[in-house]
Amino acid sequence: MAENMDAKIVIIGCGIAGIAAAQRLIESGFTNVRILEATGRSGGRIKSSRLGNAVIEIGAAFIHGPSEKNPVFCLARDYDLLDPKALTPENQAVDVDEGPPQVPNWFTSSGQKVSPETVEPALELFYKLLDSTPQSKSHKQGSLPSVGDFIKSEVLKRTAKKWKNKDKSSRRLLLGAINTLLKEECYSSATHSMDELDLVGFSMYQSIKGVDCTFPSGTESLISSLMSELPADLVSYSRPVRCIHWSNSESGVNAVTVECEDGERISADHVIVTVSLGYLKKHNSTLFSPALPDQKLQSIQKIGFGTCDKILVEFESPWWDADCEIIYLVWDDEEDISDHVSDISKNWIRKISSFTVVTPSERGNHVLCGWISGHEAEHMETLPEEEVRRCITELIHAFTGDHTITPKTIVCTRWFHDPWTLGSYCHPAIGCSAQDFKNMMEPLPKRGKKQPLQVLFAGEATHPFYYSSLHGALLSGRREADRLISHYS
Ligand SMILES: Cc1cc2nc3c(=O)[nH]c(=O)nc-3n(C[C@H](O)[C@H](O)[C@H](O)COP(=O)(O)OP(=O)(O)OC[C@H]3O[C@@H](n4cnc5c(N)ncnc54)[C@H](O)[C@@H]3O)c2cc1C
Ligand SMILES: *[C@@H]1O[C@H](CO)[C@@H](O)[C@H](O)[C@H]1NC(C)=O
C-alpha cells in the first residue's frame, strides 16, 4: 500500500542493529527512515583502529560461526571482506564445540614455559564440563545456581581421586589452568564471574558451525560497506536522544515524539530503539515517557550486562613461538578454584587469562591482545595507560623470566566508561530465562491499542539465542524492520 510507505520511522542508534533495520526498511520501499546517533560515528560496538601496521579491534573482532547460517558471514563474503581460508567449506564445517583450535603457549607465574601436554588434563576436563551444563531444571545438578558452581563442584569431585597421585606442584598447575580457562570464559560471557551465570540459562546461546574468523581490514569494513549503500543523509550524528514520548503523551498526529538532547523534537509513527542493555539499565527512567511496563523493566534488570576489555600491546620482537596463536597465563600460587580476585586494586592484573596473537604474519609488527573482564576490567579502565603498561610489563617479566622484554605501545579499551554503551554485552545472569529475551523484544504498546508498534526494540540483548554477538544484533534489526513491513502489507 503505497500511501503507507511514507510512515515516519526513527531508529535510535547507528550500530549494526540500527543499520540492518534501516537497510531492510529502505530496500522494502519505506521513504521516511532516519537514524539518530549519539556519537559522531557509525558502528557502535564495532570499532577498528591501528597499532603500528596492525589492524586492531576496539570492539567486535570475530565472526562467531562463519558459515551459511550466519548473516554477518554472508554479508562479509558478498562484500569480499574475508580471507580465502574463512571461505573454505572445511572452515565452515567445523563444529566449534569440539574444543579450542588455536595453537597455545603456556606460561606460569613462576616464569616457566610449560608444554601443552602438561596442562592437557585440565583442558580436557574443563571443556567436557562446559559442554555438559544441564539444559533444564529437572537435571540432577538443578540445585546448583550457576555455571561457576557447577564447574567448581564437578572439578573437585572428578579430580579428587584422579589428580591425587600427582605431586603438589603439578596439581597446582592443573588447578591454575582451570582458573585460567574460567577467566577466559568470563571474558566470552562478559561477566565478572562464572558464578553469576545461570546454569540452565547458559545453554540458551546457540553456536553456529565454522571456525571463528576476523575481518583482515577490520570489522569496521563491514560498516563502511553497508553504509555506502544507504542514503548519505540517513544518519544524524552527534544527536543523542533524551526521551521517547510514546502513547500519545504529547498531542499531535504522530504517535511518538523523540526529544533530543539539543532540544529538537522529532515526531514519528514508529521508533526502533537499539541502545545497549547497559544504557537501558541506567537510563530507563528518563528515556521513556510514560515509563516502560513492569514486565519489560524486570527483564532489563534480570538479563546481565557486563564488561570485557582488551589490552593491545605492541612489541619490538615476539617472545612467543612462531606458530603460537594464543598465550595462556597460569598463576601457580592460587589455592582455590576461582575466576575473580579479592583485592581488585592490587590484584586486577590476575584477571587477564590470555593474550591472542593479533598479527601472526605481518612483517615487523608484533601485537598481542590481552583479555580482561568484570570488575577487574572496570578498574583497569580507571588507570592511566602508563600504569597499565607498567603492570603489563611486570606481568610479562614474571611469566617469561625475561626482564628485557618491553612493550612499545599499548592501547586499552574502556567499554564500561563509554557513556553510550556502559559495558560490553549481555549474558544470562542467574534467574534469567528465555522469557526475558522475549520480553525484551516485545513492542509497545501491547496489542489492541489504536496506534500499534510505536516503540520497537532491537539490539544484541534482544536476540533469544544469538545475544551478545554481531549476527544476533544484525538479525534483531532485521526482525523489527520485518515487523513493520508486515504491519503495512
Ligand atoms: C570488547 C567487545 C568485543 C566484542 N567481540 C565480539 C566478537 O568478537 N564477535 C561478535 O559477534 N560480537 C562481539 N561483540 C559484541 C558486538 O560488538 C555487539 O553484539 C554488537 O556490535 C551490538 O550491536 P548493536 O547495534 O546491538 O549495539 P551498538 O553497537 O552498541 O549500537 C547502539 C548505538 O546506539 C547509540 N546510542 C546509545 N544511546 C543513544 C542515545 N541516547 N541516542 C542516540 N544514540 C544512542 C550508541 O552510540 C551506538 O552507536 C563484542 C563487543 C565488545 C564490546
Ligand atoms: C531504571 O533506572 C533507575 C535509575 O537509573 C535504576 O535505579 C533502576 O535500577 C533501573 N531499572 C532497571 C530495571 O534497570
Side-chain angles (χ1 to χ4, degrees):
M1 268 169 274
E3 74 266 35
N4 289 324
M5 299 314 271
D6 60 1
K8 273 191 94 172
I9 303 168
V10 171
I11 298 166
I12 301 177
C14 195
I16 196 166
I19 295 170
Q23 193 215 19
R24 178 143 296 191
L25 289 167
I26 290 168
E27 131 203 306
S28 310
F30 283 89
T31 53
N32 214 332
V33 181
R34 140 168 217 210
I35 300 181
L36 303 177
E37 166 56 44
T39 68
R41 56 179 288 279
S42 46
R45 280 171 269 175
I46 296 173
K47 190 175 186 179
S48 309
S49 185
R50 288 196 157 262
L51 188 56
N53 300 319
V55 172
I56 56 168
E57 302 293 352
I58 305 301
F62 300 100
I63 301 182
H64 292 308
S67 55
E68 284 301 327
K69 243 181 112 178
N70 188 325
V72 170
F73 169 76
C74 294
L75 280 175
R77 179 196 56 199
D78 297 348
Y79 284 128
D80 200 16
L81 301 174
L82 299 178
D83 266 342
K85 184 172 175 273
L87 300 171
T88 59
E90 298 76 47
N91 197 77
Q92 292 183 49
V94 174
D95 196 337
V96 283
D97 294 335
E98 281 163 9
Q102 291 165 304
V103 177
N105 280 181
W106 289 82
F107 290 90
T108 72
S109 52
S110 40
Q112 241 131 36
K113 187 158 175 254
V114 294
S115 73
E117 292 73 48
T118 321
V119 284
E120 187 52 36
L123 264 87
E124 201 180 301
L125 173 60
F126 184 82
Y127 287 110
K128 194 155 94 192
L129 292 174
L130 204 64
D131 283 347
S132 62
T133 58
Q135 315 244 328
S136 71
K137 284 249 157 61
S138 59
H139 192 276
K140 62 181 190 303
Q141 273 94 14
S143 61
L144 292 167
S146 77
V147 180
D149 292 316
F150 170 76
I151 290 186
K152 275 183 269 188
S153 85
E154 289 294 312
V155 166
L156 291 175
K157 222 187 307 179
R158 294 185 195 204
T159 61
K161 276 204 213 105
K162 240 172 144 184
W163 295 356
K164 208 176 119 199
N165 297 329
K166 297 189 185 289
D167 60 71
K168 196 174 169 199
S169 73
S170 358
R171 227 177 24 239
R172 272 205 173 170
L173 182 67
L174 289 175
L175 290 178
I178 295 275
N179 286 352
T180 301
L181 298 171
L182 272 173
K183 290 171 196 166
E184 192 181 41
E185 281 305 313
C186 289
Y187 186 93
S188 302
S189 293
T191 184
H192 174 60
S193 162
M194 295 303 280
D195 299 352
E196 296 179 8
L197 286 196
D198 192 274
L199 181 55
V200 175
F202 186 62
S203 50
M204 283 191 287
Y205 185 84
Q206 293 175 13
S207 50
I208 304 179
K209 280 188 178 213
V211 179
D212 289 5
C213 69
T214 57
F215 292 78
S217 45
T219 313
E220 231 180 285
S221 60
L222 176 66
I223 297 295
S224 319
S225 301
L226 287 167
M227 292 305 287
S228 71
E229 295 188 36
L230 291 168
D233 60 352
L234 172 69
V235 191
S236 303
Y237 292 103
S238 306
R239 190 67 64 92
V241 167
R242 182 192 293 156
C243 183
I244 299 154
H245 302 271
W246 60 289
S247 207
N248 285 317
S249 54
E250 289 195 356
S251 51
V253 263
N254 300 102
V256 195
T257 305
V258 178
E259 180 192 344
C260 300
E261 288 289 353
D262 63 8
E264 195 192 347
R265 302 175 97 81
I266 299 163
S267 60
D269 297 302
H270 310 283
V271 173
I272 304 179
V273 179
T274 76
V275 303
S276 77
L277 177 61
Y279 193 89
L280 286 177
K281 279 180 190 280
K282 184 165 177 190
H283 297 287
N284 70 78
S285 56
T286 48
L287 189 60
F288 299 93
S289 170
L292 294 173
D294 279 347
Q295 198 186 41
K296 176 91 77 185
L297 284 174
Q298 274 162 21
S299 296
I300 288 174
Q301 193 147 45
K302 272 161 80 182
I303 301 173
F305 194 75
T307 305
C308 55
D309 278 312
K310 306 183 190 188
I311 305 173
L312 294 135
V313 198
E314 188 188 12
F315 296 90
E316 212 62 75
S317 54
W319 45 271
W320 51 93
D321 294 348
D323 65 344
C324 171
E325 294 169 307
I326 185 163
I327 296 162
Y328 283 109
L329 307 181
V330 181
W331 295 86
D332 51 17
D333 60 349
E334 290 178 351
E335 294 284 346
D336 303 315
I337 305 178
S338 171
D339 55 17
H340 51 286
V341 308
S342 43
D343 185 349
I344 286 182
S345 60
K346 198 164 135 242
N347 294 321
W348 65 271
I349 199 132
R350 286 179 175 252
K351 188 61 168 269
I352 299 177
S353 57
S354 56
F355 288 92
T356 47
V357 180
V358 175
T359 48
S361 53
E362 243 170 292
R363 267 174 301 138
N365 206 212
H366 309 287
V367 176
L368 295 182
C369 177
W371 308 90
I372 185 164
S373 69
H375 303 319
E376 293 87 345
E378 290 159 12
H379 175 76
M380 181 276 290
E381 291 186 19
T382 65
L383 302 173
E385 219 135 80
E386 239 346 277
E387 173 66 7
V388 176
R389 179 195 162 93
R390 192 187 62 76
C391 296
I392 292 284
T393 309
E394 249 176 37
L395 180 81
I396 291 167
H397 289 175
F399 276 77
T400 58
D402 180 348
H403 290 246
T404 64
I405 301 168
T406 318
K408 251 165 77 178
T409 36
I410 185 164
V411 171
C412 24
T413 68
R414 294 191 162 87
W415 286 105
F416 181 69
H417 288 86
D418 179 323
W420 307 110
T421 312
L422 297 156
S424 298
Y425 43 85
C426 81
H427 60 252
I430 290 178
C432 169
S433 71
Q435 186 59 45
D436 293 305
F437 287 94
K438 285 205 190 99
N439 294 345
M440 286 302 293
M441 63 167 111
E442 186 75 30
L444 300 173
K446 289 257 193 190
R447 263 173 281 268
K449 290 279 165 61
K450 253 200 206 133
Q451 287 170 300
L453 306 183
Q454 293 175 27
V455 190
L456 302 94
F457 294 83
E460 163 266 311
T462 70
H463 198 286
F465 47 85
Y466 294 148
Y467 51 82
S468 79
S469 72
L470 289 170
H471 51 283
L474 177 111
L475 287 170
S476 74
R478 288 185 181 168
R479 177 192 69 217
E480 296 311 312
D482 286 341
R483 206 191 286 278
L484 289 173
I485 292 163
S486 54
H487 175 67
Y488 283 104
S489 61

